[in-house]
Structure formats: C-alpha cells, structure tokens
Amino acid sequence: MTAASLRVEGVTAGYGPVRALVDVSVDVPDGAVVAVLGGNGAGKSTLLRAVSRTLAFHGGALRGGSVSFGGRRLDGLAAAELVAAGVVLVPEGRQMFARMTVADNLRAGALGARGGARGRARGGERDRAWGGARARADRRAPAHARVHGLFPVLRQRAQQRAGLLSGGEQQMLALGRALMAEPRLLLLDEPTLGLAPMAAARIADTIREINAQGTSVLLVEQNAAVALKLASSAYVLETGRVALAGPAAELAVSDEVRRRYLGVV
Ligand code: ATP
C-alpha cells in the first residue's frame, strides 16, 4: 500500500436495526478514481459516511471492519481530524452556506485543513477558528489559485450569495470548497445528481482534471455511464454488499451492469 491509498476492509455499518453495509471491502490506490455504483438504498452514501467518520451525524454507527488511509487507521479519528489527514467529503446535495458569499464558502473550506486548526473548535474557539480560517485561506494562495483555475466562474461570482448559483455552479463551489483543504483523497457523493447533461459533463471533466493534478477520488454515482468513464476500477453495491467489482472498462461491458445500471436491454 502506498502513502495515500484508502483501504476499507470488511466494513459492516448500520442505523439502529438497519444493516446498510455488510462486510464491504473497497480499495482506492493512490492517484486513482474509483467508482461505487448501485441503486437507491444500496449503501453508497453509508460507505462514504463510514470513511468520512460522519455516520454518527446520521444516527448510524460502524459495527465492524476497518478503514485506513496511507496505512493509518481512520476509524478512531474525529471527522475534523480526517480533513487534517487529507480526506475530504463533498456530501450529496452540495450543502453549502447559501446565504454566505461564494468567497466566504471557499474560505470555510480551509477550516480544519491540513496544517490548519486541528480537531474540533468549541464555543468561543469557533469565532477564533473562523478568523483563523480567513487568515489561513488568505495564506492558502496555491489552493485558491487552483480553484479559480478550475472554476473561473467562482472568481467572477466571488461576492454573490452561494444560494443564487445554478445547480452546476453550486457543485463547482462544493468541489472548490473541498479543494481549499488541499485533500489527498476526495470523497464525492453523487456530484452530477440533478444536473442537466451539459452541466454533468462539465463536472465529470473537472473531476478528471482534479485527479490529473494528483488528488485521488472515491466517487459514488447513480449515473453509471459517467462514473465508469471516469474511474479506473468500480464496485457495485446491492443491498449493502459488494455484488461486483473490477476494472471499470470490464464492468462497462458486463451484461449485468449494462442491463441494470446503463439501461441497455
Ligand atoms: P441513495 O442513492 O438513495 O442515497 P444509497 O446507495 O446512498 O442510496 P444509503 O443512503 O447508504 O444508500 O442507504 C442504505 C440503507 O440505509 C437504506 O436502507 C437506507 O434506507 C438506510 N439509511 C440511510 N440513511 C439512514 C438514516 N440516516 N437512518 C436510517 N436509515 C438510513
């Protein structure tokens, strides 16, 4: 295993009585794009929550198995420590601060970044943390330049409220905000969901570019056609278990994947 590969081994997770993942193992080699496909309720978001230590926010828990990144166990870390370790989640539905400006949303992405405020901020520390995030974001010029290079529109709209952006632009902002933390691994939950085909294609191109710049990607998508084009390998989840796994090019021509996920009869 290289310095920045993700290894999910035998993970079982659920919400109360619901078993959402059963004995799931997934590898993301350093520098790769790996896709996770599956229908509604297959367990895709739960897998990203298990990796990003956010299960508890959703009333869930990891019940078995392990998650490690670059040989370091992640499953004992707090969510904020994970960002410092270089792993950043872009959740489904973008979840930006709609009333804040685009520029301030990007600054928020620097909070908890590697080399920044480590651990959780409490009470009055939060204000200081926010001031610190601004200062850090201003010092984070290479990340800012990278984000503006990938998404010139975010520079043009810097002073606009994030809630006024189009769906495609909001996804760009969500990606840009995540990149401000200078991640080594991005966890993307349905980045093309709800976007028109042109906007989805632009996001796919950008994910390819982000990866080419050296960031690994674990990509959860219902849009199997998009995901299999981007990824080098893929996993298909069905009712919480890995039903199929292999090189993306092989899965793209498998009868089962074509019939069930690519709409080919
Ligand atoms: P979708 O694309 O619909 O989000 P998914 O593949 O991401 O589907 P998950 O959201 O991981 O699937 O859901 C896996 C299972 O866990 C489903 O049975 C779902 O109903 C259940 N589940 C998900 N989130 C919760 C929650 N917060 N509380 C209880 N059960 C949940």
Coordinates of all heavy atoms in Angstrom, one line a residue, residues 105-138:
N105 N -17.7 30.9 1.3 CA -17.8 29.5 1.3 C -16.5 28.8 1.0 O -16.1 27.8 1.6 CB -18.8 29.1 0.2 CG -20.2 28.9 0.7 OD1 -20.6 27.9 1.2 ND2 -21.0 30.0 0.6
L106 N -15.7 29.4 0.1 CA -14.4 28.9 -0.2 C -13.5 29.0 1.0 O -12.7 28.0 1.4 CB -13.7 29.6 -1.4 CG -14.3 29.3 -2.7 CD1 -13.6 30.0 -3.9 CD2 -14.3 27.8 -3.0
R107 N -13.5 30.1 1.7 CA -12.7 30.3 2.9 C -13.1 29.2 4.0 O -12.2 28.7 4.6 CB -12.9 31.7 3.5 CG -12.2 32.8 2.7 CD -12.2 34.0 3.5 NE -11.6 35.1 2.7 CZ -12.3 36.0 2.1 NH1 -13.6 36.1 2.3 NH2 -11.7 36.9 1.4
A108 N -14.4 28.9 4.1 CA -14.8 27.9 5.0 C -14.1 26.6 4.8 O -13.9 25.8 5.7 CB -16.3 27.8 5.0
G109 N -13.8 26.3 3.5 CA -13.2 25.1 3.1 C -11.8 24.9 3.7 O -11.3 23.8 3.9
A110 N -11.2 26.0 4.1 CA -9.8 26.0 4.6 C -9.8 25.6 6.1 O -8.8 25.2 6.7 CB -9.1 27.3 4.4
L111 N -11.0 25.7 6.7 CA -11.2 25.4 8.2 C -10.9 23.9 8.4 O -11.5 23.0 7.7 CB -12.6 25.7 8.6 CG -12.9 25.8 10.1 CD1 -12.1 26.8 10.7 CD2 -14.4 26.0 10.3
G112 N -10.0 23.6 9.3 CA -9.7 22.2 9.6 C -8.8 21.6 8.6 O -8.5 20.4 8.6
A113 N -8.2 22.4 7.6 CA -7.4 21.8 6.6 C -6.1 21.3 7.2 O -5.7 21.7 8.3 CB -7.1 22.9 5.5
R114 N -5.3 20.5 6.4 CA -4.0 20.1 6.8 C -3.2 21.3 7.2 O -3.1 22.2 6.4 CB -3.4 19.3 5.7 CG -3.9 17.9 5.7 CD -3.1 17.0 4.8 NE -3.4 17.4 3.4 CZ -2.6 17.3 2.4 NH1 -1.3 16.9 2.6 NH2 -2.9 17.6 1.2
G115 N -2.5 21.2 8.3 CA -1.7 22.3 8.7 C -2.4 23.5 9.3 O -1.9 24.5 9.8
G116 N -3.8 23.3 9.4 CA -4.6 24.4 9.9 C -5.1 24.0 11.3 O -4.4 23.3 12.0
A117 N -6.3 24.5 11.7 CA -6.8 24.2 13.0 C -7.1 22.7 13.1 O -7.9 22.2 12.3 CB -8.1 25.0 13.2
R118 N -6.4 22.0 14.0 CA -6.7 20.6 14.1 C -7.7 20.3 15.2 O -7.8 21.1 16.2 CB -5.4 19.9 14.5 CG -4.4 19.8 13.3 CD -3.1 19.3 13.7 NE -2.2 19.6 12.7 CZ -2.0 18.9 11.6 NH1 -2.7 17.8 11.4 NH2 -1.1 19.2 10.6
G119 N -8.5 19.3 15.0 CA -9.5 18.9 16.0 C -10.7 19.9 15.9 O -10.9 20.6 15.0
R120 N -11.5 19.7 17.0 CA -12.8 20.5 17.0 C -12.7 21.8 17.7 O -12.0 22.0 18.7 CB -13.9 19.6 17.7 CG -14.4 18.5 16.9 CD -14.6 17.3 17.8 NE -13.3 16.8 18.4 CZ -13.2 15.7 19.1 NH1 -14.2 15.0 19.5 NH2 -12.0 15.3 19.5
A121 N -13.4 22.8 17.1 CA -13.5 24.1 17.8 C -14.7 24.1 18.7 O -15.7 23.7 18.3 CB -13.6 25.2 16.7
R122 N -14.5 24.6 19.9 CA -15.7 24.7 20.8 C -15.9 26.1 21.2 O -15.0 26.9 21.4 CB -15.3 23.9 22.1 CG -15.3 22.4 21.9 CD -15.5 21.7 23.2 NE -15.3 20.3 22.9 CZ -14.2 19.7 22.8 NH1 -13.1 20.3 22.9 NH2 -14.1 18.4 22.6
G123 N -17.2 26.5 21.4 CA -17.6 27.8 21.9 C -16.9 28.9 21.3 O -16.9 29.0 20.1
G124 N -16.3 29.8 22.1 CA -15.6 31.0 21.6 C -14.4 30.6 20.7 O -14.1 31.4 19.8
E125 N -14.0 29.4 20.8 CA -12.9 29.0 19.9 C -13.3 29.0 18.4 O -12.6 29.2 17.5 CB -12.4 27.5 20.1 CG -11.6 27.4 21.4 CD -11.3 25.9 21.7 OE1 -11.2 25.1 20.7 OE2 -11.3 25.6 22.8
R126 N -14.7 28.8 18.2 CA -15.2 28.8 16.9 C -14.9 30.1 16.1 O -14.6 30.1 15.0 CB -16.7 28.5 16.9 CG -16.9 27.0 16.7 CD -18.3 26.7 16.4 NE -18.6 25.4 17.0 CZ -19.3 25.2 18.0 NH1 -19.9 26.1 18.6 NH2 -19.4 24.0 18.5
D127 N -15.2 31.2 16.9 CA -15.0 32.5 16.2 C -13.6 32.7 15.9 O -13.2 33.2 14.8 CB -15.4 33.7 17.2 CG -17.0 33.7 17.3 OD1 -17.6 33.1 16.4 OD2 -17.4 34.3 18.3
R128 N -12.7 32.3 16.8 CA -11.3 32.4 16.5 C -10.9 31.5 15.4 O -10.1 31.9 14.5 CB -10.4 32.1 17.8 CG -10.4 33.2 18.8 CD -9.3 33.0 19.8 NE -9.4 31.8 20.6 CZ -10.2 31.6 21.6 NH1 -10.9 32.6 22.0 NH2 -10.2 30.5 22.3
A129 N -11.6 30.3 15.4 CA -11.3 29.4 14.3 C -11.7 30.0 13.0 O -11.0 29.9 12.0 CB -12.0 28.1 14.5
W130 N -12.8 30.7 13.0 CA -13.3 31.3 11.7 C -12.3 32.4 11.3 O -12.0 32.5 10.1 CB -14.7 31.8 11.9 CG -15.2 32.6 10.7 CD1 -15.6 33.9 10.6 CD2 -15.4 32.1 9.4 NE1 -15.9 34.2 9.4 CE2 -15.8 33.1 8.6 CE3 -15.2 30.8 8.8 CZ2 -16.1 33.0 7.2 CZ3 -15.4 30.7 7.4 CH2 -15.9 31.7 6.7
G131 N -11.9 33.3 12.2 CA -10.9 34.3 11.9 C -9.7 33.6 11.4 O -9.1 34.0 10.4
G132 N -9.3 32.5 12.0 CA -8.1 31.8 11.6 C -8.3 31.2 10.2 O -7.4 31.2 9.4
A133 N -9.5 30.8 9.9 CA -9.8 30.2 8.6 C -9.6 31.2 7.5 O -9.1 30.9 6.5 CB -11.2 29.6 8.5
R134 N -10.1 32.5 7.8 CA -9.9 33.5 6.9 C -8.4 33.8 6.6 O -8.0 33.8 5.5 CB -10.5 34.8 7.4 CG -12.0 34.9 7.2 CD -12.5 36.2 7.6 NE -13.8 36.3 7.0 CZ -14.2 37.4 6.3 NH1 -13.4 38.4 6.1 NH2 -15.4 37.4 5.7
A135 N -7.7 33.9 7.7 CA -6.3 34.1 7.6 C -5.6 33.0 6.8 O -4.8 33.2 5.9 CB -5.6 34.3 8.9
R136 N -6.0 31.8 7.2 CA -5.4 30.6 6.6 C -5.7 30.6 5.1 O -4.9 30.2 4.2 CB -5.9 29.3 7.2 CG -4.8 28.6 8.0 CD -5.2 27.3 8.5 NE -6.6 27.1 8.8 CZ -7.2 27.5 9.9 NH1 -6.5 28.1 10.8 NH2 -8.4 27.2 10.1
A137 N -7.0 30.9 4.8 CA -7.4 30.8 3.4 C -6.6 31.9 2.6 O -6.2 31.6 1.5 CB -8.9 31.2 3.3
D138 N -6.3 33.0 3.2 CA -5.6 34.0 2.5 C -4.1 33.5 2.3 O -3.5 33.9 1.3 CB -5.6 35.4 3.3 CG -7.1 35.9 3.3 OD1 -7.8 35.5 2.4 OD2 -7.4 36.7 4.2

